[in-house]
Amino acid sequence: MSFNVISVVGLGYIGLPTAAMFAAKQKKVTGVDVNQHVVNSINAGKINMIEPGLKAIVEKAIDGGFLKAVTSPEPADAFLIAVPTPFLTVKSENSIPDPDLSYIESAAKSVAEVLKKGDLVILESTSPVGTTEQMSVWLAEARTDLTFPHTDGDKSDVMIAYCPERVLPGSVVRELVSNDRIIGGMTEKCSKAAIELYRTFVEGKCVVTNARTAEMTKLTENASRDVSIAFANELSIICDKLEIDVWELINLANLHPRVNILQPGPGVGGHCIAVDPWFIISKNPSESKLIHTARKVNDFKIQWVINKIKEEIANFLSSYPAKTISNLTVACFGLTFKPNIDDLRESPALNIVKELSELNFGRLLAVEPNVDELPSDLKNCVELCSANEAIDEANICVLLVDHDEFRSIVKERFKNTIIIDAKGIWSNLYSKNN
Ligand code: SAJ
């Protein structure tokens, strides 16, 4: 088997770096994205995300003629599908969101048009158990002239595997190469082909299983992290009530050789950990009690932080009668879903700032060193400014994301300012009047 021409469908946070890695190994790579703007900017060597090392690799791949972006698939030897799998809007507050597989379905149908005998199709998108088999069915329905593994096993014309991405935003280039990969071929032959493909640039182990176990492995990894973070978030709420510094507590407990508690924060964001556990829960609602509770704890933490901020504001106003909401300046530090990235998707910090913007403060400032402009719905009510300006102007400073830039701010800068610190880097308590 040799894969000289590779097509990557979906040029987002996973697809683009993956396409670039194959191209860096001098494979001919066609990246496919339905968004013409994304396609144009990649072809111009530009990337629309902050990911260390990626820009240079993409530029080189485009200049060398190894990578090109297009809006619909062209024939290739291997196709990797890395499109989003969000969930469908919930009908009521207590209903469980179902996964939205429409992006995978339309990607599979577009790939089907150019498939030929001997091709390999890999699904990388995080997916509920059974999606890879479903994709095989969609491909077979579109191409009755070819055979597929769900009916013809190892004798099929087209090979299919599920190989989840597992890279950490902010470390994608490094982790794509060094992480171990789960290879969930629908048959043994499919797994062998997938290993050969990934060996182009993967230096980690390629561990073989079946497609369903590979799907569940990916969901398990993220659900496990969600449950661990929920434990830390629950502790932070308990400790606040007991007037115990939760960060000190966790540091102490983690000195035990078999305890490793994660860090509390303003909630869990991003497009993975806050989403993927629902793919387990929606298919197994009665059996997923712990996973479901963890999701609820982490979602509740956002509201808890908002309530805490409101409480501190009320306390501040009662101690300074000359002050009112309308002449109060509040500054929020961090908008992204986690530190040192520019990604605002499912960001707890962003949701908190949105809710605060409805309180009609005199001024609401936001400090976010990783974005150049605010989302459109915040532009009229929030001012983006530097950390120094925010500290000089604000009566109340709310730390929401522990960006490196914020860690270096010394506490002495906050003279007469209320600090509300949801990440424990400025103050040991959630709220402290310096
Ligand atoms: N968070 C905490 N406390 C912690 C760690 C994280 O509150 O101790 C919060 C972060 O601030 C953020 C959210 O959790 O809001 C998720 O951040 P993360 O760094 O845990 O994970 P992601 O979403 O950036 O990436 C995860 C990774 N999965 C695991 O670590 C199991 C990554 O390896 C996956 O590839 C990625 O999901 C994905 O694409 O599925």
Side-chain angles (χ1 to χ4, degrees), residues 114-391:
V114 294
L115 270 185
K116 61 184 185 311
K117 192 172 175 179
D119 283 355
L120 169 67
V121 182
I122 291 181
L123 180 60
E124 284 209 6
S125 311
T126 305
S127 303
V129 172
T131 308
T132 311
E133 288 155 16
Q134 176 62 64
M135 187 179 78
S136 187
V137 172
W138 282 326
L139 291 171
E141 283 168 357
R143 290 296 301 270
T144 48
D145 56 322
L146 292 169
T147 58
F148 291 85
H150 68 284
T151 51
D152 289 65
D154 255 347
K155 293 193 186 70
S156 64
D157 293 332
V158 174
M159 295 170 285
I160 295 180
Y162 181 73
C163 304
E165 60 81 14
R166 311 165 96 188
V167 288
L168 194 70
S171 310
V172 168
V173 170
R174 180 174 48 80
E175 289 206 358
L176 268 176
V177 174
S178 62
N179 281 3
D180 295 340
R181 289 226 61 136
I182 306 296
I183 307 288
M186 283 186 69
T187 68
E188 242 174 75
K189 189 172 149 200
C190 299
S191 293
K192 273 194 191 141
I195 291 176
E196 189 177 323
L197 180 68
Y198 283 109
R199 277 282 163 243
T200 309
F201 66 81
V202 170
E203 290 171 11
K205 290 199 278 291
C206 288
V207 184
V208 173
T209 181
N210 58 50
R212 290 173 74 82
T213 309
E215 289 161 342
M216 189 61 182
T217 305
K218 169 69 195 185
L219 300 180
T220 300
E221 290 162 5
N222 282 354
S224 150
R225 194 152 169 89
D226 200 37
V227 170
S228 302
I229 299 169
F231 181 67
N233 277 332
E234 187 162 290
L235 278 179
S236 72
I237 295 171
I238 296 168
C239 284
D240 183 72
K241 197 170 164 196
L242 298 177
E243 298 188 344
I244 288 171
D245 173 357
V246 70
W247 285 280
E248 184 191 3
L249 172 89
I250 290 173
N251 282 341
L252 294 173
N254 283 348
L255 293 175
H256 186 289
R258 284 172 295 285
V259 174
N260 188 11
I261 303 169
L262 294 182
Q263 297 300 306
V268 168
H271 41 288
C272 309
I273 307 246
V275 175
D276 304 349
W278 289 115
F279 296 176
I280 301 178
I281 303 162
S282 74
K283 287 210 163 191
N284 313 276
S286 316
E287 295 78 16
S288 314
K289 292 190 183 64
L290 178 63
I291 299 172
H292 196 173
T293 303
R295 259 312 44 250
K296 288 199 221 160
V297 169
N298 285 333
D299 278 349
F300 169 71
K301 187 67 195 291
I302 300 177
Q303 197 52 51
W304 187 88
V305 171
I306 292 169
N307 292 343
K308 198 80 202 156
I309 296 168
K310 287 182 181 170
E311 222 176 86
E312 291 303 329
I313 289 171
N315 289 343
F316 177 79
L317 292 176
S318 64
S319 344
Y320 293 89
K323 280 272 173 204
T324 61
I325 281 270
S326 58
N327 62 19
L328 197 67
T329 299
V330 176
C332 293
F333 287 72
L335 295 176
T336 56
F337 86 82
K338 67 176 202 171
N340 309 321
I341 58 163
D342 63 341
D343 195 337
L344 298 172
R345 287 179 293 174
E346 313 287 333
S347 167
L350 192 63
N351 286 334
I352 291 168
V353 172
K354 276 184 189 160
E355 188 147 338
L356 293 183
S357 73
E358 283 163 21
L359 297 180
N360 299 319
F361 301 126
R363 292 174 76 195
L364 180 55
L365 312 177
V367 186
E368 181 40 81
N370 301 302
V371 304
D372 295 328
E373 61 175 341
L374 289 167
S376 50
D377 53 344
L378 287 185
K379 275 186 183 155
N380 291 331
C381 46
V382 181
E383 300 166 47
L384 195 61
C385 68
S386 70
N388 278 333
E389 195 183 339
I391 295 168

